[in-house]
Amino acid sequence: MKKGMMMTLGVAIWHVLLLSTSWAADNGTVTVNYNVYPNLHNMVVMKDASCLGKLPWSDAKARVASLASGQCGLSDGSTAGQWRLPTSDELLYIAYNAKGSLSAVQSDYWSSTEMMGYSTYATAVSFTYNQKAPDIKSRPNNIIAVR
């Protein structure tokens, strides 16, 4: 590979990995700028990650969907139906970059990502080891909500 091609490839990889985080909320949330080039979107993450407890995957999805302002320290004006489980990629990003700003325990958290071809499994993310792993949906895991 030529030197110029290596430089271009290196710059391209840097743009894909460019991630940033900003914190500014006194309403029970943290705003995370989740930037994977060329897409940037802001995730609002609930600060009190321990509030929702540990539930099996389907119960976790239902509990997050019913979350609204006035619950779990939220005063952001959110309504039921606006919150969701993060994808496994979003949750891994939170584990690496934002867990220090949350009341999160060093444990496994459910993502919304189901395991393709295995209907009884979904992806959990370890906040202890910062990694994804398949987990059986009937097992209770911790919950973080995003919108």
Side-chain angles (χ1 to χ4, degrees):
M1 192 177 278
K2 293 183 179 180
K3 186 177 180 180
M5 290 174 67
M6 290 286 286
M7 177 70 99
T8 303
L9 180 60
V11 170
I13 290 171
W14 172 251
H15 282 291
V16 169
L17 296 176
L18 179 65
L19 300 169
S20 63
T21 307
S22 69
W23 320 108
D26 238 1
N27 58 10
T29 68
V30 174
T31 299
V32 177
N33 298 319
Y34 180 69
N35 183 4
V36 179
Y37 184 82
N39 301 312
L40 169 66
H41 69 277
N42 291 331
M43 272 188 303
V44 177
V45 183
M46 66 179 291
K47 278 186 185 178
D48 190 356
S50 62
C51 173
L52 299 174
K54 292 174 90 165
L55 293 171
W57 187 78
S58 59
D59 294 338
K61 284 184 65 172
R63 176 64 182 103
V64 167
S66 69
L67 189 63
S69 189
Q71 301 172 355
C72 294
L74 294 172
S75 60
D76 62 340
S78 61
T79 59
Q82 290 182 322
W83 292 94
R84 62 178 175 79
L85 287 176
T87 66
S88 61
D89 289 338
E90 291 170 336
L91 191 53
L92 188 60
Y93 180 80
I94 292 167
Y96 270 109
N97 298 286
K99 69 182 172 191
S101 299
L102 308 173
S103 62
V105 295
Q106 297 296 308
S107 189
D108 295 341
Y109 286 80
W110 279 126
S111 77
S112 62
T113 307
E114 295 183 81
M115 298 298 299
M116 194 176 298
Y118 299 93
S119 63
T120 58
Y121 285 85
T123 303
V125 172
S126 168
F127 272 37
T128 306
Y129 302 108
N130 294 340
Q131 64 186 16
K132 301 177 194 180
D135 206 344
I136 193 158
K137 290 179 179 178
S138 60
R139 180 167 127 24
N141 275 325
N142 291 289
I143 308 163
I144 288 181
V146 300
R147 61 178 176 84

